[in-house]
Amino acid sequence: DVSVTVDGEKLLDKVYFSVNRTDKIAFVGENEKAQTALFQILMGELEPDEGSIKWGVSTIRSYLPKDNSEYFDGNTMELVDWLRQYSAKKDDVYLRGFLGRMLFGNEDVFKQVHVLSGGEKVRCMLSRMMLYGSNMLVMDQPTNHLDLESITAVNDGLIAFKGNILFASHDHEFIQTIANRIMEFSPDGKLTDRLCTYDEYIGEA
């Protein structure tokens, strides 16, 4: 029964759902503010006006926000040092392995993070997520700023991922190939929940 109003606009109105062990849930529709507010509440970044969130005790959570500017703006750290601050293991070879999976080559790891492109910043955030070994991913528009090669790689990775995913996206194929459950916020903050693929959901609409 989570409700929240932001800047005078009611974004969530008594939203309730539970997540099953194998669920990969896509949040779709025009109400992007509601999607982002829900993710921020789930990750403890925004307090709901009413209601509560309860996570399973075995969940390890990682979050990819739509706006990642707070991680990069004005930050003069080199990329490998930026990632090091989020890692329990600090050696360069280990960290470069994660960056390499996100297509950062040898010289790239010495770039200062504030000069990275939008796509490079998203790839940094994905590298950071991989460090945590999470079984629950919360991802707000993960394909924003990515080129086709990167989108395909992320898409394939999330299809193969064995844990839960809660994500928002505008990419039809991305949603269709990953999600087994579709949720849509209406303009008044109510939630429609369907256990089906995206194509099946569109066919019902």
Side-chain angles (χ1 to χ4, degrees), residues 18-161:
S18 57
V19 180
N20 304 311
R21 186 172 296 274
T22 59
D23 278 345
K24 297 180 179 181
I25 303 173
F27 292 82
V28 302
E30 299 301 315
N31 199 344
E32 291 186 23
K33 289 182 182 178
Q35 297 165 6
T36 296
L38 174 65
F39 294 156
Q40 289 174 332
I41 289 169
L42 289 174
M43 299 309 295
E45 294 187 357
L46 179 66
E47 282 293 318
D49 300 328
E50 303 173 47
S52 61
I53 303 292
K54 184 178 180 182
W55 287 102
V57 293
S58 62
T59 57
I60 304 169
R61 302 176 293 278
S62 290
Y63 180 38
L64 183 75
K66 180 160 56 176
D67 180 6
N68 58 38
S69 57
E70 67 179 278
Y71 293 89
F72 300 103
D73 285 0
N75 191 328
T76 58
M77 296 176 81
E78 292 179 352
L79 178 45
V80 69
D81 293 324
W82 179 88
L83 190 62
R84 199 188 321 273
Q85 65 186 328
Y86 301 111
S87 178
K89 291 181 69 173
K90 304 297 185 183
D91 62 282
D92 279 13
V93 174
Y94 176 76
L95 296 168
R96 283 179 178 223
F98 281 93
L99 293 171
R101 286 186 224 171
M102 283 292 111
L103 309 178
F104 288 108
N106 290 335
E107 296 306 312
D108 292 333
V109 301
F110 300 115
K111 285 183 178 180
Q112 292 185 356
V113 295
H114 71 98
V115 303
L116 298 176
S117 69
E120 287 173 326
K121 288 175 181 176
V122 172
R123 283 157 43 207
C124 283
M125 296 295 289
L126 291 168
S127 298
R128 173 179 173 270
M129 291 181 81
M130 288 191 295
L131 283 171
Y132 296 136
S134 302
N135 56 16
M136 167 66 76
L137 307 181
V138 179
M139 311 180 81
D140 196 353
Q141 304 290 347
T143 60
N144 281 5
H145 307 294
L146 295 181
D147 59 24
L148 186 57
E149 181 184 13
S150 299
I151 291 172
T152 301
V154 173
N155 197 166
D156 291 344
L158 295 182
I159 291 169
F161 183 68

